[in-house]
């Protein structure tokens, strides 16, 4: 759906976004975006990550469309975990 000049615009900022992303805030943001898209021009501002443990930048940076929703994914470094959380994740991953 292309933006039109007479529709109001809404930006939703969420740490990860997409059909492959499963998390409370992310699923909620996606549901809201899908509900509002028939009345507003929606833009999602998000990262390139899918996995909330590694924050690996998997998805392409830049603009895309998903289900009529404009998405802008920003580049970022992998490794969102630090310190004890990273160690705990590595331990649990190896079990």
């Amino acid at each position: 759906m292309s933006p039109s000049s007479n529709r109001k615009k809404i930006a939703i900022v969420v740490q990860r976004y997409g059909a492959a992303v499963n998390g409370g805030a992310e699923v909620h943001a996606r549901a809201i975006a899908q509900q509002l898209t028939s009345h507003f021009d929606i833009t999602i501002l998000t990262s390139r990550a899918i996995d909330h443990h590694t924050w690996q930048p998997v998805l392409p940076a830049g603009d895309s469309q998903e289900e009529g929703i404009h998405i802008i994914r920003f580049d970022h470094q992998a490794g969102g975990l630090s310190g004890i959380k990273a160690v705990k994740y590595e331990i649990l991953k190896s079990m």
Side-chain angles (χ1 to χ4, degrees), residues 22-78:
N22 189 12
E26 296 88 344
V27 170
H28 186 67
R30 188 165 175 248
I32 289 172
Q34 290 170 338
Q35 290 294 313
L36 294 177
T37 195
S38 61
H39 302 289
F40 301 93
D41 289 333
I42 305 296
T43 299
I44 302 294
L45 306 173
T46 191
S47 72
R48 296 176 50 207
I50 293 176
D51 185 326
H52 72 284
H53 291 294
T54 64
W55 290 97
Q56 195 69 21
V58 180
L59 302 168
D63 293 66
S64 63
Q65 291 278 329
E66 185 179 303
E67 300 174 322
I69 298 169
H70 180 213
I71 303 167
I72 304 174
R73 287 192 170 87
F74 294 91
D75 205 11
H76 66 282
Q77 293 181 343

